[in-house]
Amino acid sequence: MRFKAEIDVMPLDALLDPQGKAVTNSMKSIGLPEIDGVRIGRHIRLFVEADSKDVAAQKVEEACKKLLANQIMESYSFVVEEA
Amino acid sequence: MRFKAEIDVMPLDALLDPQGKAVTNSMKSIGLPEIDGVRIGRHIRLFVEADSKDVAAQKVEEACKKLLANQIMESYSFVVEEA
């Protein structure tokens, strides 16, 4: 079976996010001062061939740990569903 | 009231995603050949001050159009909830 995973990789809350900070500042310039606290990470979509949703989730977890997220600086979360 | 928005900005399906392609290839090298079709975009989390969820969603929509997404190359989607 084929599964789709939607993964979010975000900078840890304890770390500065200069890109997010710059965007927060820009919001004021474009007339959206109501917006703040912008943090920017990555969104990753991928597909997995697996016998079950549990196995697919294990594969995605492994991909996050080995390749997609740097756990020193980033946290990740994901959702797996049948594609 | 304060609302939190979770925004995904992804490269349009019609466009190549070289970064995603490179990651797809790397999956094979790290022993995860079950994974393919990787596409990589941005995940943005931000906060909005607004009187209602509808107004907050309007502000987020405006931020996406004006600043966060390049609609020639990217599509965006978001969820707004009370913070």
Side-chain angles (χ1 to χ4, degrees), chain B residues 18-78:
Chain B
Q19 197 185 0
K21 186 86 186 164
V23 170
T24 302
N25 291 338
S26 300
M27 289 296 174
K28 287 161 194 42
S29 328
I30 63 164
L32 290 168
E34 309 83 343
I35 293 180
D36 69 358
V38 181
R39 288 185 80 81
I40 301 183
R42 294 192 300 290
H43 185 77
I44 301 159
R45 182 177 299 144
L46 53 77
F47 294 88
V48 196
E49 278 293 332
D51 290 337
S52 70
K53 197 171 163 173
D54 281 354
V55 174
Q58 276 172 31
K59 296 289 175 189
V60 174
E61 182 84 34
E62 196 181 336
C64 287
K65 288 202 171 125
K66 283 189 177 174
L67 186 61
L68 300 174
N70 168 358
Q71 288 184 87
I72 313 255
M73 299 170 62
E74 295 167 331
S75 64
Y76 62 87
S77 60
F78 61 84

Side-chain angles (χ1 to χ4, degrees), chain A residues 12-68:
Chain A
L12 291 176
D13 285 342
L15 297 181
L16 293 174
D17 172 15
Q19 196 185 358
K21 186 86 186 164
V23 170
T24 302
N25 291 338
S26 301
M27 289 296 174
K28 287 160 194 46
S29 330
I30 63 164
L32 289 168
E34 309 82 345
I35 293 180
D36 68 358
V38 181
R39 288 185 79 81
I40 300 183
R42 292 192 301 289
H43 185 77
I44 301 159
R45 183 176 299 143
L46 53 77
F47 294 88
V48 196
E49 278 294 330
D51 291 337
S52 71
K53 197 171 164 175
D54 281 354
V55 173
Q58 276 172 31
K59 295 289 175 189
V60 174
E61 181 84 34
E62 197 182 336
C64 287
K65 288 203 170 125
K66 282 190 178 172
L67 185 62
L68 301 174

